[in-house]
Amino acid sequence: MNQNKNQNRTVLISGGSVAGPALAYWLHRHGFTPTIVERAPELRDGGYAVDFRGEALDVLDRMGLLAKIRALDTEMGDAAMVDAEGRTYATLPAAVFAGDLEVLKGDLTRMLYEATREDVEYVFGDSIASLEQDEDGVLVTFERGTPRRFDLVVGADGLHSRTRALAFGPEEEFIRHLGIYTAIFNLDNYLGLRNTGRLYAVPGKAANIFTARDNTEARAAFHFAADSLEYDRRDPAAQKRIIADRFADGGWEVPRLLKEMDASGEFFFDSNAQVEMDTWSAGRVVLLGDAGYCAGPTSGRGTSQALIGAYLLAGELAARDGDHTAAFAAYEQQMRPYVAEHQALGQEGAERFFMPAPTQEILDMLAANAPENARTEPVRLRDYTPATAA
Ligand SMILES: Cc1cc2nc3c(=O)[nH]c(=O)nc-3n(C[C@H](O)[C@H](O)[C@H](O)COP(=O)(O)OP(=O)(O)OC[C@H]3O[C@@H](n4cnc5c(N)ncnc54)[C@H](O)[C@@H]3O)c2cc1C
């Protein structure tokens, strides 16, 4: 039995998007003292839409946030597949791309922030610069703030995790590119769509537009197939030029969308990739969410696994009185099967991108086989009844 009760109480979490705040929520409820350091200067609004699976709904339910998240549902209906002239040739059922509950990622982050801001220290606009572990803790230096000691450090800082690079090695060792790049940006709903979207696909390339925020806005995306590209991840103008070159041959609304992209301040560009690691912990440092096991956007499961992972990691630390070695091993053991399933989905999704545009028959079949109905009862996880009430 563990003799050292209540050890490892202070936890630094790098990343304040989905996994980080969800973990902070649970750690606080279990009596730990989490601090979040987030590189962005402030909360990011909007962004693309994300959806959920059963166990993630359980986590949100246990956080008392299920009704709130359902109220944020984008209520996306079926979308249309269109050809180069904008003619609809198939209907894409919402069940295929939006699950049954879909929210804007920024709305989810804000909700998690609001659920934790009173109890959790947030440091925006900073990043871990170095980590030095010893027997009793981790000495952390920051790019801006003064050095601090923590008992444990969690990397919830996404696909390009700084924590992972510092504790495990360069990202090339762990990231597997799925052969697709994606750009997403905000724009006006200039087509006047109502709770729907339009998708245009040719071999190796696709563009789409979906409504957002009660049809007052839209989100558009470009996807293209490519082997790993060299580009500056901090230079959106250069990234926009890559897209413009790739989509110069136009079709459908592509010329207009390229102009909209140029003018848009909210722009995201990255490769579709997965993170594969033999272990998610190194001493007192552990990875959570995309940082440790990104399944890729094509899995549609990244948000769910971030929430499930946060719940399990905090629960195992509490159940083992902060014994990090045992807790990290138990977290990993429980989480691995989800990750394996989600990463397989991510690969299947990526492979579909390289196939000819699907027929209506195939789309209907995909809808009929959509894995679960998020409006049904959440799938229950193990109960780690917290010591402190919510
Ligand atoms: C285009 C696209 C579509 C997607 N669609 C879906 C979907 O439909 N359903 C779904 O479930 N998932 C979807 N996902 C995946 C989902 O967004 C992620 O899996 C999920 O956000 C992972 O959460 P996270 O908190 O682990 O990482 P992230 O959301 O990536 O957050 C990482 C955070 O760490 C911060 N950070 C980065 N570096 C540092 C640093 N050095 N120091 C401090 N902070 C740092 C970042 O600013 C960010 O806030 C999609 C992803 C993409 C890219």
Side-chain angles (χ1 to χ4, degrees):
M1 191 174 121
N2 175 22
Q3 300 298 312
N4 194 359
K5 286 224 163 226
N6 293 331
Q7 58 183 319
N8 294 331
R9 295 286 108 178
T10 60
V11 184
L12 176 67
I13 302 168
S14 174
S17 169
V18 180
L23 177 71
Y25 173 90
W26 285 109
L27 285 177
H28 172 73
R29 271 188 70 179
H30 289 301
F32 293 78
T33 307
T35 297
I36 291 184
V37 59
E38 163 57 51
R39 189 174 58 196
E42 56 196 18
L43 277 192
R44 293 196 195 148
D45 266 331
Y48 48 83
V50 295
D51 51 26
F52 302 91
R53 62 167 292 153
E55 290 88 342
L57 295 173
D58 182 34
V59 177
L60 291 165
D61 191 25
R62 289 173 193 269
M63 294 170 83
L65 296 175
L66 193 52
K68 272 193 188 162
I69 201 89
R70 285 187 164 143
L72 293 171
D73 189 356
T74 58
E75 293 181 357
M76 195 56 69
D78 297 346
M81 310 275 309
V82 294
D83 64 15
E85 275 72 49
R87 289 179 299 241
T88 298
Y89 64 86
T91 299
L92 180 63
V96 175
F97 65 90
D100 288 293
L101 176 62
E102 185 192 64
V103 303
L104 292 182
K105 185 175 166 191
D107 288 351
L108 172 65
T109 298
R110 180 164 296 281
M111 190 188 72
L112 294 171
Y113 173 68
E114 279 164 7
T116 48
R117 63 192 296 182
E118 310 226 315
D119 305 313
V120 173
E121 179 192 4
Y122 275 85
V123 180
F124 284 99
D126 208 347
S127 164
I128 295 176
S130 73
L131 297 170
E132 203 180 303
Q133 300 195 46
D134 54 45
E135 276 204 0
D136 304 319
V138 190
L139 175 65
V140 183
T141 66
F142 296 93
E143 283 178 359
R144 287 161 182 258
T146 49
R148 288 169 68 174
R149 276 187 75 81
F150 294 88
D151 296 328
L152 303 173
V153 173
V154 181
D157 38 10
L159 179 62
H160 303 291
S161 168
R162 166 77 62 86
T163 313
R164 188 184 59 225
L166 290 171
F168 297 84
E171 72 173 41
E172 304 77 65
E173 288 179 23
F174 307 112
I175 288 192
R176 185 152 47 88
H177 176 50
L178 293 171
I180 305 167
Y181 282 82
T182 292
I184 297 186
F185 54 97
N186 291 11
L187 70 168
D188 288 339
N189 179 14
Y190 76 91
L191 288 175
L193 303 173
R194 302 203 62 77
N195 293 28
T196 187
R198 299 278 180 271
L199 291 92
Y200 168 63
V202 293
K205 276 188 235 176
N208 62 56
I209 182 167
F210 281 90
T211 55
R213 298 213 184 286
D214 289 334
N215 304 309
T216 59
E217 297 175 16
R219 306 283 180 260
F222 289 110
H223 310 274
F224 63 89
D227 293 336
S228 290
L229 298 173
E230 292 284 326
Y231 67 96
D232 184 348
R233 281 205 283 112
R234 306 258 164 148
D235 185 352
Q239 296 162 16
K240 287 178 179 179
R241 283 195 296 278
I242 296 175
I243 305 286
D245 285 349
R246 298 271 165 171
F247 286 83
D249 48 0
W252 180 54
E253 292 287 320
V254 165
R256 169 79 189 252
L257 289 178
L258 288 174
K259 282 198 189 123
E260 297 283 347
M261 178 184 74
D262 245 359
S264 179
E266 275 283 334
F267 173 78
F268 163 94
F269 178 69
D270 209 339
S271 73
N272 289 215
Q274 298 189 326
V275 172
E276 280 185 346
M277 305 188 73
D278 294 337
T279 175
W280 300 329
S281 64
R284 293 176 169 275
V285 181
V286 66
L287 300 175
L288 173 68
D290 276 10
Y293 36 85
C294 181
T298 43
S299 75
R301 291 288 188 263
T303 309
S304 291
Q305 69 178 14
L307 291 171
I308 297 166
Y311 176 79
L312 293 175
L313 176 55
E316 288 300 334
L317 276 166
R320 288 154 208 279
D321 288 321
D323 176 348
H324 64 282
T325 310
F328 292 171
Y331 150 67
E332 182 155 344
Q333 193 203 1
Q334 292 189 67
M335 200 57 208
R336 283 271 175 200
Y338 290 111
V339 172
E341 183 193 333
H342 299 160
Q343 294 202 331
L345 281 173
Q347 285 189 35
E348 280 167 30
E351 280 157 23
R352 272 204 294 277
F353 183 74
F354 296 93
M355 294 174 184
T359 60
Q360 189 66 58
E361 202 182 355
I362 289 175
L363 293 172
D364 290 342
M365 195 186 72
L366 287 173
N369 292 329
E372 63 270 299
N373 182 336
R375 285 194 209 280
T376 60
E377 285 303 298
V379 179
R380 294 292 170 192
L381 290 159
R382 182 184 158 187
D383 188 11
Y384 299 94
T385 304
T388 0

